[in-house]
Amino acid sequence: MAFSANVLARSRSVIRLDSPFIRSHSSRLACNSRGTSVPLRRRMIAAAAAAAAAVNVVVDVERPEEVSALDSGWTEFARRVSGEWDGYGADFTTDGGPIELPESVVPEAYREWEVKVFDWQTQCPTLAQTEEPTLFYKSIKLLPTVGCEADAATQYSIDERHIGGLNNKVSTFAYHSTGSYAATWPVEDNTGYKLLELEHCLVDPRNHESRVRLTQVVRVEGTTMTLQNIKVLCEQWYGPFRNGDQLGGCAIRDSGFASTEALKVSEVVGVWEGPTSVASFQNPHTTILQELVGHKLRKSQRDQDGLVPLPRHLWCSFKENEAGEICGEVGWLLDRGQALCSRFVFSVEGSLKEIAITREALVSE
C-alpha cells in the first residue's frame, strides 16, 4: 500500500542575476514600530504566567494598568505570533512532488505494510518580546509513530531561529499585526553552496489560530539562483508559550497532508486584485526589521507558467516578471476566488526590493 500526491509536473526554475544576491546587513536591529505595547487579554496573562511557572520559562507579562494605550504593530504581532504552534510538515520537490521521510525514522510496521511516510509531526514554540523587538522560535520534528504511542513526542531534530538581539540570524524580516510574516535566511548546505530560504508565514484571516509556513529554498551560485526545494508546515495554535514542553500525539487537531490532492492550477489562474501591505527594503539604510503597512489596491495577472501546485490549497512560484524582477510567491486559496498571498520582489540587480502580503479576490479568469 502506498500513498502519493496528485501533482502537476513543472520544470525547475533557474534565474540569472546581474550581481550577487546576498548583501551584508548591520547586525544591529531597529524597529520602526510606532509604540511599545497594547493590553493583553486577561485569560492570556493568566495562561502565560501558569505556563511559564510550569517549565521555569520567564515570560514578561505586563499588568493591564501598566500598559500604554498606544497601539503598536509589533506588539500586536508579538501577541498573535507567540505560543505553541503544532501540526504537520513535509518537503516537496520543485514540481510539487512529496519527498519521503528517511527510511531510518519510519516505524518497522509501516515498512512491512509498504506504507510510504511523507509527513513529520511538528512543534513550533514561539516567543516574541516587545521591550526590544526580538523573536525566537524552534521548528521541532517528532519521530513518526504507529498510532498514539507514548513516544509520539520523541524529538528528531530542532531548528532554532532568532530574529533581533545578539543572536540574530535573519537577513530581512517583515511582519504584520495579524501574526503573518516573511523572512530571508542565508544558510549553508553540506556542499558549500550558499542557500537562501524565503520563509512565508500566512495566518488564516478567518481563524487566527490557524496558519501555514512555506519556505522556498533557493541555491545561489554566483549570479544564478535556482529553486532547490519547498518546505510546507500546516500549524494550529495550542496555547501560550511553553518552550515545546507539551505532548502532541493524538491531541493534534490535524493530520498529515503531503500525499493528499494538490491544488488545481485552474483555480488560481486569472486576474486577481486586493489590498496589499508592503515593507520596502530599497533604501540601503533601511533596518532589516520592517512592518508590513498600507492597504493599496494591487492587481496581478497569474498564469500557470512556473506555478507549483501543492496540497492544502497552496501554491508557489519563483520566476522573473515582465520587468525583469525576480518574484518568489506563495499563495493560499482560502475559498473559491479568495486567496492570501505573500511575495518577495527582487530588483534586476538582485537586491531585495520589497515584501508584500495581499488579500486577493479573483476579478476574471
Side-chain angles (χ1 to χ4, degrees), residues 95-270:
D95 61 2
I99 299 174
E100 287 188 60
L101 268 57
E103 185 176 335
S104 59
V105 306
V106 177
E108 184 176 353
Y110 282 141
R111 295 198 298 271
E112 292 177 353
W113 301 333
E114 298 184 355
V115 174
K116 295 181 179 181
V117 182
F118 300 98
D119 303 271
W120 296 98
Q121 186 174 326
T122 62
Q123 293 177 296
C124 186
T126 304
L127 183 62
Q129 301 286 1
T130 56
E131 294 79 5
E132 176 188 3
T134 59
L135 175 66
F136 158 78
Y137 70 82
K138 294 190 293 187
S139 290
I140 304 171
K141 292 179 179 178
L142 306 177
L143 287 171
T145 59
V146 179
C148 297
E149 299 176 357
D151 62 347
T154 302
Q155 296 178 350
Y156 172 74
S157 66
I158 301 176
D159 181 12
E160 292 192 8
R161 299 293 173 105
H162 294 266
I163 296 95
L166 297 176
N167 296 319
N168 174 66
K169 299 297 182 182
V170 75
S171 291
T172 54
F173 187 86
Y175 64 92
H176 194 272
S177 58
T178 58
S180 296
Y181 66 84
T184 59
W185 301 92
V187 296
E188 297 265 344
D189 69 3
N190 295 331
T191 63
Y193 288 110
K194 291 182 179 179
L195 297 179
L196 186 70
E197 293 186 348
L198 309 182
E199 181 186 9
H200 311 250
C201 177
L202 296 174
V203 174
D204 190 340
R206 306 160 301 180
N207 174 15
H208 287 171
E209 294 186 357
S210 175
R211 73 180 190 183
V212 296
R213 285 193 293 141
L214 195 153
T215 300
Q216 296 173 297
V217 183
V218 178
R219 189 168 78 177
V220 181
E221 299 179 77
T223 58
T224 302
M225 294 177 69
T226 308
L227 182 62
Q228 183 109 328
N229 66 288
I230 303 161
K231 303 177 182 180
V232 179
L233 289 156
C234 296
E235 302 169 320
Q236 297 188 54
W237 190 85
Y238 281 82
F241 178 77
R242 292 174 58 88
N243 203 25
D245 186 34
Q246 66 180 45
L247 294 177
C250 291
I252 299 297
R253 303 189 298 267
D254 206 347
S255 59
F257 59 86
S259 60
T260 61
E261 185 178 4
L263 173 83
K264 292 180 174 61
V265 174
S266 59
E267 295 184 280
V268 295
V269 168

Side-chain angles (χ1 to χ4, degrees), residues 9-173:
R10 290 281 177 258
S11 60
R12 180 181 292 262
S13 300
V14 178
I15 295 174
R16 302 287 304 182
L17 300 181
D18 294 331
S19 62
F21 165 76
I22 299 178
R23 58 187 178 89
S24 61
H25 291 279
S26 170
S27 60
R28 183 177 181 181
L29 259 67
C31 178
N32 65 342
S33 299
R34 296 179 297 277
T36 55
S37 58
V38 295
L40 301 176
R41 292 177 294 180
R42 292 183 181 274
R43 69 178 182 84
M44 289 292 291
I45 295 173
V55 295
N56 294 322
V57 176
V58 178
V59 180
D60 294 329
V61 180
E62 296 172 290
R63 294 197 301 264
E65 61 271 23
E66 294 176 342
V67 177
S68 168
L70 294 176
D71 188 18
S72 165
W74 176 265
T75 302
E76 183 65 10
F77 166 76
R79 183 179 72 84
R80 290 187 181 276
V81 77
S82 295
E84 296 290 324
W85 295 88
D86 295 354
Y88 287 86
D91 291 351
F92 295 83
T93 62
T94 55
D95 61 2
I99 299 174
E100 287 188 60
L101 268 57
E103 185 176 335
S104 59
V105 306
V106 177
E108 184 176 353
Y110 282 141
R111 295 198 298 271
E112 292 177 353
W113 301 333
E114 298 184 355
V115 174
K116 295 181 179 181
V117 182
F118 300 98
D119 303 271
W120 296 98
Q121 186 174 326
T122 62
Q123 293 177 296
C124 186
T126 304
L127 183 62
Q129 301 286 1
T130 56
E131 294 79 5
E132 176 188 3
T134 59
L135 175 66
F136 158 78
Y137 70 82
K138 294 190 293 187
S139 290
I140 304 171
K141 292 179 179 178
L142 306 177
L143 287 171
T145 59
V146 179
C148 297
E149 299 176 357
D151 62 347
T154 302
Q155 296 178 350
Y156 172 74
S157 66
I158 301 176
D159 181 12
E160 292 192 8
R161 299 293 173 105
H162 294 266
I163 296 95
L166 297 176
N167 296 319
N168 174 66
K169 299 297 182 182
V170 75
S171 291
T172 54
F173 187 86

